[in-house]
Amino acid sequence: MKTLVLAPFSTVGLAILADLGDVVYEPWTDTQEIQDPDELGQRIATEGIDALVVEIDFLFEELFDAAPGLRFAAICRSALNQVDLEAATDRGVVIAHTPGRNAQAVAELVLGHLLSLARHIPQASAFVVGSQWEDPTEPYTRFQGRELAGGTLGLVGLGQIGGRVARLARGVGMGVLACDPYVSPGTRAAAGVTLVDLNTLLATSDFVSIHVPETIETTGMLDGEALAKMRPNAYLVNVTSPTIVNRDALVNALRTGKLAGAAMDVHDSHPLAPDSPFIGMPNVLLTPHIGGATRETIERHSAMVAEDLQRFARGAKPKHLANPDVWARRRKP
């Protein structure tokens, strides 16, 4: 089995794939390229590639049509919005993904955002680096913050990442509320949270962190009316999707003091547009979409994909099969 790996992958994971056959390793982190689906499909056909591993590349119908020999494709992400699952299933291509691979990494970044907002850490650092620290007592009052312990964190969404955020928050002494109509009682109990409706969560939380997927249902769910329900001394954290929050409403709330501040790891464009209203706002923390950027995330998704490809090679179903209907009609070597 010949495998083309376009995602960052661990050395151990590559060794496992090499035991199955030839491996071509061209991670996007090295090439800095997103592949054209049709051209990638033609390459797969020309080079006789059986399995494909991606992270940011798109798996569309034209790719599957151009690569009749492709049998297995893995996406090193939990979300499946970059693959045409119906087209893959119709053409017998098995699709695997890696749910939860970056849950711990993103949850820890959220905790970092919470601490940074509560204690004004980025501003304090800039104060020192910018040679503004002349009066030894000034920072004590200028950067006086609040402790997370005793505060309330509201989680909009309690999936794998939200659940891990809940555990970290409880570890520093926070009470945790969550709004998620799809969560099971067992998940709620394991996370140690209280389920409430969205309005209650917004009105009673000191910090609100968003952890819902981007869907028709969630797009724009935090509009001006919703943000107005939050406390003026509350903070908003978004590491999920910029579409969940109405940008203009958030800008207005931050500028008028209706919100104390916000932290965002997701943005309308990558990189951030130079005219973004968030640039230069003193109560806003911006990070460049680094939620899952840890060595452990790569090791985790590498292990998950390698195990599933091993299973597929010996005729067993992958553990993280995204299109189970394909199994009876999967392409054979």
Side-chain angles (χ1 to χ4, degrees):
M1 178 174 287
K2 185 174 184 179
T3 304
L4 172 61
V5 181
L6 300 178
F9 223 70
S10 70
T11 302
V12 173
L14 289 172
I16 293 173
L17 300 187
D19 286 339
L20 302 175
D22 294 337
V23 178
V24 179
Y25 183 47
E26 299 175 4
W28 69 266
T29 46
D30 288 349
T31 66
Q32 298 292 300
E33 292 182 359
I34 297 178
Q35 304 293 317
D36 175 86
D38 186 57
E39 293 178 2
L40 179 56
Q42 294 177 33
R43 178 188 175 185
I44 290 170
T46 299
E47 297 183 13
I49 292 167
D50 303 284
L52 174 66
V53 181
V54 303
E55 183 179 28
I56 64 171
D57 298 290
F58 296 91
L59 307 181
F60 292 156
E61 183 177 11
E62 55 264 40
L63 183 149
F64 302 125
D65 285 339
L70 181 67
R71 298 189 285 132
F72 176 99
I75 302 170
C76 295
R77 300 183 68 178
S78 177
L80 295 165
N81 54 347
Q82 70 198 73
V83 57
D84 187 334
L85 281 180
E86 183 177 354
T89 302
D90 288 344
R91 289 153 183 79
V93 181
V94 171
I95 303 294
H97 66 142
T98 57
R101 56 117 191 190
N102 65 355
Q104 185 66 26
V106 176
E108 290 186 8
L109 181 68
V110 170
L111 181 61
H113 279 174
L114 295 176
L115 288 166
S116 294
L117 290 170
R119 299 301 306 273
H120 314 299
I121 296 172
Q123 296 92 330
S125 175
F127 181 81
V128 175
V129 173
S131 301
Q132 299 177 61
W133 192 15
E134 298 177 355
D135 182 346
T137 64
E138 179 188 357
Y140 189 82
T141 54
R142 181 169 180 170
F143 299 114
Q144 186 178 79
R146 58 157 301 162
E147 296 175 3
L148 295 184
T152 299
L153 173 64
L155 299 173
V156 183
L158 193 62
Q160 292 202 50
I161 295 175
R164 291 189 183 234
V165 173
R167 286 190 283 273
L168 291 175
R170 291 180 64 229
V172 296
M174 300 188 80
V176 183
L177 306 177
C179 172
D180 192 329
Y182 304 103
V183 73
S184 67
T187 302
R188 176 187 61 185
V193 307
T194 300
L195 288 180
V196 296
D197 60 69
L198 182 60
N199 289 339
T200 300
L201 182 145
L202 295 174
T204 57
S205 297
D206 300 299
F207 300 85
V208 173
S209 188
I210 303 169
H211 300 286
V212 292
E214 180 182 336
T215 65
I216 295 176
E217 181 184 9
T218 62
T219 297
M221 68 183 297
L222 293 187
D223 55 13
E225 182 179 353
L227 293 176
K229 293 181 171 65
M230 293 180 64
R231 298 171 174 178
N233 61 346
Y235 295 90
L236 181 70
V237 176
N238 188 5
V239 296
T240 299
S241 167
T243 67
I244 311 301
V245 185
N246 181 285
R247 190 186 77 161
D248 292 340
L250 178 58
V251 169
N252 179 66
L254 291 167
R255 283 178 173 168
T256 59
K258 294 178 182 178
L259 274 183
M264 290 166 277
D265 189 50
V266 288
H267 311 282
D268 292 328
S269 62
H270 299 80
L272 193 65
D275 61 349
S276 169
F278 297 116
I279 294 178
M281 295 182 73
N283 54 347
V284 172
L285 170 63
L286 305 173
T287 51
H289 199 63
I290 56 171
T294 66
R295 292 186 297 272
E296 290 83 359
T297 291
I298 294 174
E299 292 168 357
R300 200 172 292 117
H301 75 222
S302 299
M304 296 169 76
V305 169
E307 180 184 3
D308 271 349
L309 194 48
Q310 281 181 318
R311 292 175 63 87
F312 177 77
R314 65 174 185 263
K317 280 187 181 181
K319 284 186 176 181
H320 305 102
L321 182 60
N323 56 339
D325 291 342
V326 77
W327 196 247
R329 55 175 118 166
R330 64 191 184 278
R331 288 175 176 174
K332 302 294 176 65

